[in-house]
Each structure stands twice: as C-alpha cells, then as structure tokens.
Amino acid sequence: MDVRRAAAAEPGGVLDAAGRPPRGRGRLFGARRSVRLGDVDRAGRLRLDALARHLQDVATDDTIDARIGDSALSWVVRRAAVVIERWPAYLEPLTYTTFCSGTGPRWAERRTSARGDGGARLDAAVLWACIDAGSGRAAALPDGFDEVWGSTGGRTVSARLIHPPPQEPLSDRPWQVRASDLDVLGHVNNAVHWAAVEEELARLLPARLPVAAECEYRLPIELGDAVTLRTRVDGPELRTWMVSPRGVHASARVLTG
C-alpha cells in the first residue's frame, strides 16, 4: 500500500525526530492542541475526522499568522495522507509543527507532524489547492508565497489523483449530507469524508486501528447530492468511495494494524 510512502519524509520535506524540516529550510509554524471529548472514539482514540480538523486549523492559523494572500483566495484539500506510529489519546496535549514541503503552479503541499506529551506520534502530508473564492476556479499561488514558505528546496509536487474507481466486491449504503457538514465554500468539509471512513472502520474492522490512511478529493459534495458510501475490505485494508449521480466525490484507503 502506498499511503505510508505518501506521508513519509522525502527530499525537500524531511522531518527530523522532533517532526521538523532541516534547519534553514524556511518558515516553521507550531501550535498546541489538546484532544477533547468531541475528538475521540469510544476507546479514547483521536478520530481521523478530528485529526483532519486539527490539521486544517493549524494550516489556517499558519496562513493567518503569515499575513499573505487576500480574502479572494481560498485553499481546499486535494489529497491527504497520514502515517500513525502512536495515536493521540483523550486529553493528551499535542504539539503540531507544519511547513511547506513542495509546490506546483496552483497548489502546495504541507507537511505536519504531531507529537504528544503522552507519546503520540504521527506525520501527515496534505496537498492544498489554491482557488478563487468567488468563482471556485483554480488560482495561482499568491504573490510572496515562496518568500514566506521557502522550505521546499525547489521540490515540485503533482496534483494528480491515483485512486481507482470503485472495485467489486462492494457494500453500498446511503450517506446523508447534513447542512452542518458544509463549510463557508458551500460544500462538504474535507473532515466529513474522514467521518465516513471512521463509520466503516467501526462497522467492518472494529478490532483494528488505522496505521496509515490516504484520502483523495475529486468533486465537492453539495447539500442536494444523493451520496452513496461504497466500501470494500481486503484483509487489513479498508477502501471507501463517496459517489453520487454526478460521479466519484472522494475516495480513501486505510491500512489497519
């Protein structure tokens, strides 16, 4: 499975033991978060959807703190991958460290590490696409981006998505889109897709823990979409697709241990 490699360190985005890039590679941003009651499952493990919200909040805080760009630009997740060595637990304080590890013409990859006071350890790689908030179309990176997040070492990243279409055998069930799932861009927030993954893990692999996961986002889900959650289990691997008559909206691969 490739999700381990997707979030692992690569040239230009290497993390040291503390979750930081090599010295002198540009801007680093750190934040503290605690794992709260609404973040965990029944066993007290930080859920994947809660982790996605943490990563989103840290990325937003970094962007605001950097004071770059303007209100006409927004960022949406195109691809997210995470490798978990030890899951954060209920009430565990976490230190998040994030930096830019690669760019393309209209997107940038952000690496983020989480280290917990109780021993939690995970690393994520999230590809964020820059869009015009008004039209929803792809936009060039804002002026001054490289001067602020110059930690890439010249590394370029692709925005190509590689997950295959739904593959048999599959189990299908409807997925209800709620008004509370939508964010300010008018479509379902990326964290909600991970909530669907957590549902299927609890239903189909209840005794196993995710050790690596990857989600790709193809088509925004809107409030009126009739979404079907399609799932396949192959040994320790879970695969999901969120589909509607408009096509495949998102897909995920999760390796459990």
Side-chain angles (χ1 to χ4, degrees):
M1 187 178 183
D2 293 335
V3 294
R4 289 181 182 270
R5 185 174 60 191
E10 299 177 11
V14 178
L15 295 170
D16 66 16
R20 299 169 301 195
R23 188 172 299 175
R25 286 288 179 85
R27 177 183 171 87
L28 278 176
F29 182 80
R32 292 280 285 178
R33 296 285 190 278
S34 290
V35 180
R36 300 300 186 181
L37 188 62
D39 296 333
V40 297
D41 65 5
R42 288 178 293 177
R45 168 183 66 83
L46 179 69
R47 300 189 313 272
L48 285 163
D49 57 304
L51 172 61
R53 288 194 298 272
H54 282 204
L55 296 175
Q56 180 174 256
D57 290 346
V58 171
T60 300
D61 290 348
D62 183 18
T63 302
I64 293 172
D65 182 74
R67 299 181 181 180
I68 190 172
D70 58 58
S71 59
L73 297 178
S74 294
W75 295 88
V76 296
V77 176
R78 178 77 168 164
R79 181 177 63 242
V82 59
V83 173
I84 308 98
E85 184 175 320
R86 181 173 173 180
W87 272 104
Y90 178 49
L91 294 181
E92 183 174 3
L94 302 174
T95 298
Y96 284 97
T97 305
T98 187
F99 67 100
C100 180
S101 53
T103 60
R106 295 175 295 279
W107 55 84
E109 182 188 80
R110 179 184 290 276
R111 300 282 174 128
T112 306
S113 69
R115 303 293 185 260
D117 290 6
R121 184 184 180 94
L122 60 86
D123 296 293
V126 181
L127 188 72
W128 291 85
C130 186
I131 65 169
D132 180 276
S135 66
R137 296 176 180 174
L141 298 181
D143 293 339
F145 184 95
D146 289 339
E147 286 75 13
V148 174
W149 285 287
S151 55
T152 67
R155 177 175 177 261
T156 59
V157 292
S158 171
R160 183 173 64 93
L161 302 180
I162 62 173
H163 287 184
Q167 298 172 311
E168 301 292 343
L170 292 163
S171 65
D172 290 6
R173 62 191 185 111
W175 180 263
Q176 179 65 47
V177 180
R178 307 167 302 177
S180 59
D181 294 334
L182 275 63
D183 58 25
V184 296
L185 296 176
H187 55 66
V188 169
N189 186 264
N190 76 93
V192 176
H193 299 76
W194 288 113
V197 171
E198 286 282 358
E199 283 286 325
E200 297 302 82
L201 284 170
R203 186 172 71 95
L204 300 171
L205 295 170
R208 304 185 70 92
L209 284 176
V211 296
E214 181 180 70
C215 190
E216 292 185 349
Y217 302 88
R218 295 180 176 273
L219 184 64
I221 297 177
E222 299 174 353
L223 188 59
D225 285 324
V227 177
T228 298
L229 178 59
R230 313 196 73 184
T231 306
R232 174 181 175 178
V233 174
D234 185 5
E237 184 181 80
L238 174 79
R239 306 196 66 165
T240 66
W241 294 265
M242 300 186 80
V243 304
S244 79
R246 295 200 293 126
V248 176
H249 294 273
S251 58
R253 305 172 65 186
V254 182
L255 181 65
T256 64

